[in-house]
Amino acid sequence: MSHREVVVLSVGGMRFVTRASTLQQFPESRLARMLNDDDQAFKLVNGEFFVDRDGTLFSYIMDFLRTLQVSLPTDFSDYQRLQREAEFYGLYPLADLLSQEHLLKPRLEILEVRFSLQETQAFFRIFGSCSTTVETLAEQITVFTGQQSGQSWNSPFPSQKPLVPLPLERPSHHDLVFQCGTDYTAGDQFVARYVSIKPDNRKLINGTNVLGLLLDTLLKDGFRLISTRTVSREEKVECYSFERMKRPAGLTITVNQTPGSSGVAQAKRSQVQKGK
């Protein structure tokens, strides 16, 4: 049967069509031996290999063979059952990965926004359990500063003078600090700070407007608002807490083939997409 290019399998009543080369990714596996009539558990019926196993879990097996990556849904929970299926098919590199559930399970990510409004200035502090998410937000948020006269500081349009971008304060990898509004300097001059949050192109000076845009940005990015509380009534500090399920880093199997060998597999992490 090794000459077959296209192979059809019926697993638990579900039909799968694939290439023989896909099933031969791991030459010592039972799926590879099946093509040579070398395993009695796989019966050839009307040109299809019949397998009395779970068809839904086999779809993950096929995805793994096609991509050499372990990528499971966020709500997936059948790690032990899928591990048993991988062992049944002789895919031991996959079974070894599935035994390490902590590498594959999604993690709960927490993010907190603290907001303080003091006269004509607003102060923001963002803390996140995932440093990658905080880094992504730091790339999205830009603070611009410029001087204006007292008569025009609350204008909805920035001063005609060029605005200078300011670096955000980063007390640690897990938080960032910025502010907006105006600060009195001398005479009728004010230092104005505007905030822009990508992909929105507006430059906002009003703290309440910036807060609204920031919260909307987080909600669109998959976060869920779980609580709002007042941290300090004297300093008028409000705290907004968010959470979301963060997908784990992808795990990729690297197969090193050498002449006369049956293949050596090694697992490695693929890069995590920022903010995911």
Side-chain angles (χ1 to χ4, degrees):
M1 304 298 297
S2 59
H3 65 279
R4 285 174 174 262
E5 248 185 78
V6 176
V7 181
V8 180
L9 300 97
S10 177
V11 184
M14 296 179 64
R15 193 168 182 266
F16 299 87
V17 181
T18 186
R19 289 179 173 274
S21 57
T22 300
L23 300 175
Q24 294 169 332
Q25 289 278 16
F26 298 88
E28 292 185 351
S29 72
R30 297 182 74 176
L31 290 170
R33 298 202 309 268
M34 170 192 73
L35 299 178
N36 297 316
D37 292 332
D38 197 22
D39 198 310
Q40 297 302 312
F42 302 89
K43 303 295 184 181
L44 188 61
V45 180
N46 297 326
E48 299 182 7
F49 286 100
F50 174 77
V51 190
D52 190 16
R53 303 294 294 192
D54 190 300
T56 300
L57 293 179
F58 188 72
S59 65
Y60 300 118
I61 299 284
M62 285 304 307
D63 182 65
F64 167 73
L65 290 174
R66 287 168 176 149
T67 65
L68 295 182
Q69 291 184 346
V70 182
S71 181
L72 301 173
T74 303
D75 59 351
F76 186 83
S77 60
D78 289 337
Y79 293 94
Q80 291 185 349
R81 289 184 61 216
L82 184 55
Q83 181 184 350
R84 286 199 301 268
E85 294 302 295
E87 290 173 347
F88 171 80
Y89 293 110
L91 297 170
Y92 297 108
L94 174 59
D96 290 342
L97 284 184
L98 292 168
S99 68
Q100 305 176 64
E101 292 184 25
H102 65 283
L103 297 178
L104 300 170
K105 285 184 175 180
R107 295 175 295 160
L108 182 64
E109 181 180 357
I110 302 297
L111 189 136
E112 183 180 276
V113 176
R114 294 201 175 197
F115 170 69
S116 175
L117 188 60
Q118 300 177 14
E119 297 182 352
T120 59
Q121 296 186 82
F123 300 86
F124 296 82
R125 183 164 195 152
I126 300 175
F127 174 84
S129 60
C130 176
S131 60
T132 303
T133 298
V134 177
E135 183 65 34
T136 299
L137 284 171
E139 294 174 357
Q140 289 179 263
I141 299 172
T142 306
V143 177
F144 298 90
T145 184
Q147 286 193 344
Q148 294 189 19
S149 65
Q151 289 76 25
S152 62
W153 71 267
N154 58 354
S155 169
F157 302 101
S159 167
Q160 292 182 353
K161 296 180 181 180
L163 296 177
V164 180
L166 292 176
L168 301 179
E169 294 182 46
R170 297 295 306 278
S172 74
H173 292 297
H174 289 273
D175 58 349
L176 62 89
V177 177
F178 63 94
Q179 67 185 82
C180 67
T182 60
D183 186 19
Y184 178 78
T185 55
D188 63 347
Q189 293 296 308
F190 288 81
V191 173
R193 290 184 177 86
Y194 299 85
V195 172
S196 176
I197 305 177
K198 296 176 182 177
D200 195 293
N201 294 320
R202 292 174 295 170
K203 294 181 175 66
L204 304 177
I205 195 171
N206 182 280
T208 303
N209 292 341
V210 173
L211 176 65
L213 179 58
L214 176 59
L215 300 186
D216 186 59
T217 300
L218 294 174
L219 292 173
K220 289 180 178 178
D221 201 27
F223 280 98
R224 182 172 66 93
L225 180 63
I226 57 174
S227 70
T228 302
R229 69 183 191 277
T230 300
V231 178
S232 172
R233 294 189 182 278
E234 295 78 12
E235 299 180 2
K236 300 180 180 178
V237 179
E238 298 175 355
C239 179
Y240 300 81
S241 298
F242 294 82
E243 70 176 19
R244 72 174 175 183
M245 295 305 293
K246 178 179 174 60
R247 292 184 65 86
L251 290 174
T252 302
I253 294 288
T254 302
V255 181
N256 299 320
Q257 295 284 3
T258 57
S261 74
S262 58
V264 178
Q266 182 179 6
K268 67 177 181 179
R269 283 183 180 273
S270 62
Q271 289 186 341
V272 184
Q273 291 184 351
K274 291 186 177 181
K276 299 297 183 184

